[in-house]
Each structure stands twice: as structure tokens, then as C-alpha cells.
Amino acid sequence: MKCAYEGFNGINLVADEFGDRENAEKFVLFAHGGGQTRHAWQSSAKLLAARGMYALSLDLRGHGESDWATDGDYSIESFAHDLVKVAATLPKPPVLVGASLGGISGMIATGELKKDGFEALVLVDIAPKMDEEGVSRIVSFMGQDLENGFESLEAAAQSIANYLPHRKQPKNLSGLKKNLRLGEDGRYRWHWDPRFMTGTSRPSASKDPDRLNSALRSALIPLLLIRGKMSELVTEEAVEDFRRTVPHAKYADVSDAGHMVAGDNNEVFTQALIEFLDAM
């Protein structure tokens, strides 16, 4: 069911909820990656709800159906404050599952802003040290059709296929509509505020691995890193650095998956998440 929350500085955030909020023993808050929407977690959230948990999948500010920041504030601190505010409305601290942007925001939220506001942190293919070439490739893909958009859903699907050649193309493109918005000119554009990439207040914490490592050391909660085995962003060296920084953290590799872990191999990703949650 779709619901709304108030984020940092009053911004309106939209989410989908799964499960019985009143009777759940465990709460999970999903935060997607940059350029994605809350629908990236739908399959996983449904499975958690079927196991008696309550899952909340959030559209981050400027993404999906959540408001665009009127002041153009897409700093990592604002994303993190949003997560803290939403988590505080739940009956008990949730497990925060964050991919890429959502994971970086989660490191700041749990390590700097509200150390007792979350039960655990799950990082999905994100770590303090990121491969620079991988970051550049992702940024390039997100920006290449930013202004002109696509003439059709098929054109958007082909762009994704060129970027993710290992992923099987869907036969039905209806799901792709959730990640696109149709403009008055009849062209499809990504469902996020362009200022997220072009504005003056953009996420920059990825350029400060020392800060992120410090945040992880300060977050005295259970941690799990789920990495796509074919990740272009999180190298094996980055994993080793992560495990040295937080030796108590759990780690899982997802085969046949790149940076978009949940979309590339959702079954294996969700199983790794469930095993972590069940063991807590």
C-alpha cells in the first residue's frame, strides 16, 4: 500500500508498505540507489512480509513520486536525515537496507546522525572505497539521456541493455514505466530530478572514504555487505578494506550480479538478506 512520510525540512516522501505494521517483530526500511525508485525492492519486500516482517520501500527525495527538493538540496546529509525521520515514525528501529546512494546515506544516518535509530545496516554493493572507473561509468549512463530522454519505452530498454548486457531483457516493458516519466513533448525521461546530478548541492560523500569508514566504525550495530560478484563499483580490494574497518560485519557475494544486485539476481540477494535477518 502506498503511503507518505515527512522528510527533512518538510519534504514529502512516498513509500510502499508491506506486511502487518502492528504485529511485526522486525521492521525493514529499503533505500534505493541513485536514479532508481522504491519499486526496485518490491519482490524482496513482499517476501519479507510473507515471513511476518514489515517492510517499507521508500522513494528517496527527488526520485519516483517523492517531492523534488525546492531548494535543490540533494546533499548526502539531507538523504541521511530523511532516513532518520522516516525510521523514527516506526514502532521500533528498523533494519536499513541501502543500495548505492541509499547505502551511503545509511552509513551517515547510522554512524553520524542517529546511532540508536536503526537495528542493523545492510549495504547493497556499496562500500567506503569505490572504483573510480565504475563510478564514472554509472554517472555517464545516468547523464547521457538526461535532457533529451527517450522516444519510446523500447528505446529506454535498449539503453539499459547496452549498459547491462549481462541482464536478460524483459519481454514486458510495463515495469519500466515506473522508472520513467512521460513529458508533455511525448518523450520519456528518468523519474528523478535532473538537479540530483546537475545542481550545486549533489551527493559527494563517495569522494570521502575516510568519513564513511569513520561512520561505519561508529555504527555499533550488526552490518552486512551484499556485493554483486560482477560489480563494477565494489572491488575485492574494497571488500577487504571494508572487512578490516568493521571486522564484525557479515559479507555475501551474489553470483551473476553487477552493481544492480537486487535487479540482476533478486532470488539470491533476498536469500542472503533473509539469512542475515533471521540470524539477528
Side-chain angles (χ1 to χ4, degrees):
M1 182 175 69
K2 187 165 75 171
C3 49
Y5 289 85
E6 182 181 317
F8 183 54
N9 284 339
I11 196 168
N12 184 64
L13 303 173
V14 172
D16 282 336
E17 61 176 357
F18 304 81
D20 186 347
R21 180 188 176 106
E22 300 303 320
N23 297 305
E25 294 186 1
K26 194 172 295 294
F27 292 78
V28 180
L29 174 59
F30 285 100
H32 60 73
Q36 295 182 308
T37 70
R38 68 187 191 275
H39 301 293
W41 306 108
Q42 188 173 61
S43 295
S44 299
K46 286 181 178 178
L47 286 172
L48 296 189
R51 297 176 68 89
M53 304 181 205
Y54 175 86
L56 192 67
S57 183
L58 187 68
D59 271 340
L60 301 184
R61 60 171 52 214
H63 291 69
E65 295 184 74
S66 287
D67 284 351
W68 290 8
T70 56
D71 57 359
D73 184 3
Y74 294 109
S75 64
I76 200 66
E77 290 77 16
S78 290
F79 284 108
H81 276 294
D82 287 341
L83 295 177
V84 169
K85 286 208 68 173
V86 173
T89 68
L90 299 176
K92 62 180 294 187
V95 175
L96 178 57
V97 180
S100 202
L101 170 66
I104 297 173
S105 304
M107 293 184 219
I108 300 301
T110 60
E112 293 185 2
L113 300 182
K114 188 68 174 174
K115 298 179 183 180
D116 61 348
F118 300 88
E119 185 179 7
L121 175 63
V122 179
L123 301 173
V124 184
D125 208 67
I126 195 68
K129 287 188 177 180
M130 294 161 239
D131 184 83
E132 292 185 6
E133 288 186 12
V135 172
S136 295
R137 184 167 178 259
I138 292 170
V139 170
S140 177
F141 168 71
M142 292 178 67
Q144 66 185 3
D145 298 296
L146 186 59
E147 294 185 7
N148 294 329
F150 308 96
E151 63 180 3
S152 65
L153 291 175
E154 288 76 14
Q158 186 57 55
S159 177
I160 296 173
N162 293 338
Y163 174 62
L164 301 171
H166 63 279
R167 183 186 290 186
K168 185 178 180 180
Q169 295 188 51
K171 295 180 180 179
N172 187 336
L173 299 181
S174 61
L176 184 57
K177 285 184 178 180
K178 296 175 181 178
N179 292 314
L180 296 163
R181 52 189 170 86
L182 183 60
E184 294 181 357
D185 58 359
R187 297 184 70 85
Y188 290 92
R189 292 176 176 83
W190 298 119
H191 215 324
W192 43 272
D193 185 351
R195 292 178 301 172
F196 168 65
M197 289 192 63
T198 64
T200 58
S201 184
R202 305 187 300 272
S204 59
S206 62
K207 299 178 182 179
D208 193 354
D210 289 339
R211 178 188 181 186
L212 297 181
N213 273 323
S214 178
L216 283 177
R217 283 191 290 266
S218 297
L220 304 178
I221 53 177
L223 288 166
L224 168 66
L225 169 60
I226 302 179
R227 171 182 176 260
K229 201 164 188 176
M230 300 185 296
S231 175
E232 62 268 48
L233 195 65
V234 181
T235 64
E236 292 184 3
E237 180 183 356
V239 172
E240 292 175 2
D241 179 77
F242 169 82
R243 301 186 81 173
R244 283 193 297 269
T245 300
V246 280
H248 71 280
K250 304 296 183 182
Y251 170 66
D253 247 341
V254 177
S255 60
D256 299 322
H259 183 55
M260 308 296 183
V261 180
D264 288 345
N265 196 333
N266 189 262
E267 182 178 353
V268 177
F269 160 75
T270 305
Q271 184 59 39
L273 175 59
I274 288 174
E275 289 177 2
F276 175 74
L277 295 174
D278 286 348
M280 288 176 54

